[in-house]
């Protein structure tokens, strides 16, 4: 079947489906679905309501999606923390779960009066961290640096410290990322 409008029933195999109001599709290349179940599809261009078990592409306005092979539109994430006071020991910012991110970096602005040291740490378990990349240390007062991790693990965080003991500074950090 090349195309159909179905208001109720079961469609077991179709090359292209342009509108499905209610029912079950076992295998289809493309469909607009307002209600029903879609078990397997090569391409779905619009899904209004229902459940998809496996699909290569879809626009979903309602329903449940249990597995995705890839997402074509990349998302952008930004997390900014300002007014961070440095201390003598390295202090980490909260870890970011980077397992679903493709490209990410830390933007550091030393807004204080003293130099600071920065580094990116990575972890597979969120408990044990490995120093992956160090910043342009020491980062002078009024200077900016961008650190991009060299390795990939599930969790990534930025740690910072005062370069000179007892000489605190203040930094602003922005984490920018693109989804895959």
């Amino acid at each position: 079947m090349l195309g159909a409008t179905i208001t109720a029933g079961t469609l077991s195999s179709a090359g292209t489906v342009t509108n499905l109001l209610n029912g079950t599709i076992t295998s289809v290349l493309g469909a607009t679905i307002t209600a029903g179940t879609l078990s397997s599809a090569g391409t779905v261009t619009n899904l209004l309501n229902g459940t998809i078990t496996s699909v290569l592409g879809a626009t979903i306005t309602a329903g449940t999606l249990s597995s995705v092979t890839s997402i074509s539109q990349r998302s952008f994430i930004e997390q900014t923390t300002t007014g961070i006071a440095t201390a003598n020991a390295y202090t980490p910012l909260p870890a970011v779960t980077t397992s679903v991110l493709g490209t990410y970096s830390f933007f550091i602005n030393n807004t204080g009066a003293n130099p600071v040291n920065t580094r990116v740490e990575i972890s597979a378990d969120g408990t044990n961290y490995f120093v992956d990349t160090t910043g342009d240390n020491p980062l002078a007062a009024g200077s900016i640096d961008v650190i991009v991790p060299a390795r990939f693990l599930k969790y990534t965080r930025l740690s910072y410290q005062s370069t000179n003991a007892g000489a605190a500074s203040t930094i602003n950090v922005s984490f920018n990322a693109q989804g895959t």
Side-chain angles (χ1 to χ4, degrees):
M1 182 194 300
L2 294 178
T5 300
I6 300 172
T7 56
T10 300
L11 179 62
S12 51
S13 179
T16 302
V17 177
T18 56
N19 190 12
L20 178 67
L21 300 177
N22 189 9
T24 301
I25 298 177
T26 305
S27 178
V28 70
L29 295 177
T32 300
I33 301 172
T34 55
T37 301
L38 180 61
S39 305
S40 177
T43 301
V44 176
T45 55
N46 189 15
L47 178 67
L48 301 177
N49 188 10
T51 301
I52 298 176
T53 305
S54 176
V55 68
L56 294 176
T59 301
I60 300 173
T61 56
T64 302
L65 182 62
S66 43
S67 176
V68 176
T69 301
S70 67
I71 298 173
S72 62
Q73 185 176 1
R74 292 184 177 209
S75 58
F76 176 76
I77 298 169
E78 181 172 35
Q79 296 175 356
T80 300
T81 308
T82 60
I84 303 165
T86 64
N88 294 340
Y90 271 102
T91 305
L93 288 176
V96 179
T97 303
T98 51
S99 60
V100 296
L101 303 175
T103 303
Y104 45 93
S105 57
F106 292 90
F107 176 90
I108 303 105
N109 183 2
N110 184 354
T111 58
N114 297 303
V116 298
N117 295 329
T118 57
R119 65 187 188 193
V120 170
E121 301 168 344
I122 57 175
S123 174
D125 60 9
T127 302
N128 301 294
Y129 281 86
F130 173 80
V131 176
D132 178 66
T133 307
T134 57
D136 187 16
N137 295 333
L139 181 61
S143 295
I144 293 173
D145 192 14
V146 176
I147 306 176
V148 179
R151 296 171 188 89
F152 174 82
L153 284 175
K154 185 176 181 180
Y155 303 101
T156 306
R157 69 184 186 187
L158 179 85
S159 288
Y160 55 90
Q161 77 171 151
S162 301
T163 299
N164 303 314
S169 196
T170 305
I171 60 173
N172 296 335
V173 177
S174 291
F175 172 79
N176 281 195
Q178 231 180 14
T180 55

